[in-house]
Amino acid sequence: MFDGWRRRVRGNPGTWARQLVPLTPNAAYFPDFLTPSGGTTALEEGIDAVLSTPVRRMRSELRLLSGHRRLPGWTTELVHRDTTALARLGNALRSYHAMALQPFWSSVQGAVDADRGRRSRALLENGVEGMLAGFSPTMRWRAPVLECDYPVERDLHLEGRGLLLIPAFFCLRAPVALADPSLSPTLVYPIDHESAVASDDVRHARAEQALEALLGRTRAAVLRSIAEGCTTTELGRRAGISVPSASQHATVLRNARLITTRRYGSAVIHTLTPLGAELIAGQNRNA
């Protein structure tokens, strides 16, 4: 499912690996404090929540993690609230986000929003039980119990606290719950992905087709040709069209605020606006 993403991430190793890999093993447990709840809506807010974990809780969860794998010595510095160790962890989270998530965030957000919309629509049309029934076969609603495929056998009693359902792009096959039953009940579930993941070449072709469907083949080519800035004559040569035709397409794109045109002496230079650049960048991300 994620081979292409994994190759790109592994091809850009960073200092974040030393800090994050030991804390997130491929095992049945990783610390709950790395996935804080409480309505975090921004990266820095989430990082602050991680770094503000109470000492007692961090010590307990790292001790539990040590039962699954041997931890490096610097993890004890986290428990002692060493400011340097905490700063390194925060920087590692920022670096990982910038390298592994931010470049793909448009695709991730789009997939998650689609799943959230589907669940919300099921809730409005069929109520809570109808919405929960839609999670089959990964999760099965058998009132009053929601049964889930899970790596270990466990029961979680809500006791009137409610259940927070979080759709996750990078979750596959089975949902994930917080290990500590005293924390707010949370279930991270895998969203529906395409049954077959297209190759890079196919994805690139689909992205190009999407841009062409929006603008038309020639105008999409004109927009891509302006990415590095060019004159009208250069634009015609790059796009393989006449200069008058290039000028006409540039006018349409300028009126749509996808490009801007400035005169420098006797030359007229076309460049992308932030909106036009984002449209091109979105195509590249989807590719």
Side-chain angles (χ1 to χ4, degrees), residues 31-203:
D32 288 333
F33 74 81
L34 291 175
T35 52
S37 58
T40 56
T41 57
L43 176 65
E44 289 302 321
E45 185 180 349
I47 292 176
D48 287 343
V50 170
L51 302 185
S52 300
T53 303
V55 172
R56 181 176 298 179
R57 177 183 168 190
M58 185 175 288
R59 179 184 295 113
S60 173
E61 294 184 5
L62 288 177
R63 184 182 299 118
L64 184 58
L65 178 61
S66 67
H68 294 269
R69 68 175 303 164
R70 184 173 181 176
L71 297 180
W74 58 261
T75 56
T76 59
E77 299 171 359
L78 293 176
V79 175
H80 294 137
R81 311 298 298 174
D82 180 83
T83 55
T84 301
L86 291 172
R88 282 199 300 263
L89 177 58
N91 289 335
L93 291 168
R94 292 183 188 93
S95 297
Y96 181 78
H97 179 271
M99 183 276 298
L101 299 179
Q102 189 62 48
F104 311 97
W105 197 248
S106 177
S107 297
V108 172
Q109 190 67 60
V112 170
D113 286 347
D115 185 271
R116 184 182 286 114
R118 171 190 171 191
R119 307 300 177 187
S120 298
R121 188 163 54 251
L123 176 65
L124 289 172
E125 294 177 354
N126 304 308
V128 174
E129 294 198 9
M131 184 268 291
L132 293 176
F135 284 101
S136 178
T138 303
M139 297 187 284
R140 298 161 296 280
W141 173 244
R142 295 172 180 169
V145 176
L146 181 64
E147 298 179 351
C148 306
D149 296 331
Y150 206 72
V152 295
E153 185 75 21
R154 63 175 297 194
D155 293 326
L156 177 61
H157 299 278
L158 300 183
E159 299 175 344
R161 293 176 294 171
L163 177 65
L164 177 62
L165 294 167
I166 300 179
F169 185 87
F170 289 102
C171 184
L172 285 177
R173 290 181 293 275
V176 179
L178 299 178
D180 187 348
S182 68
L183 296 174
S184 178
T186 301
L187 193 64
V188 178
Y189 67 87
I191 67 171
D192 288 334
H193 288 279
E194 293 181 353
S195 59
V197 179
S199 68
D200 288 345
D201 290 341
V202 172
R203 282 195 296 270

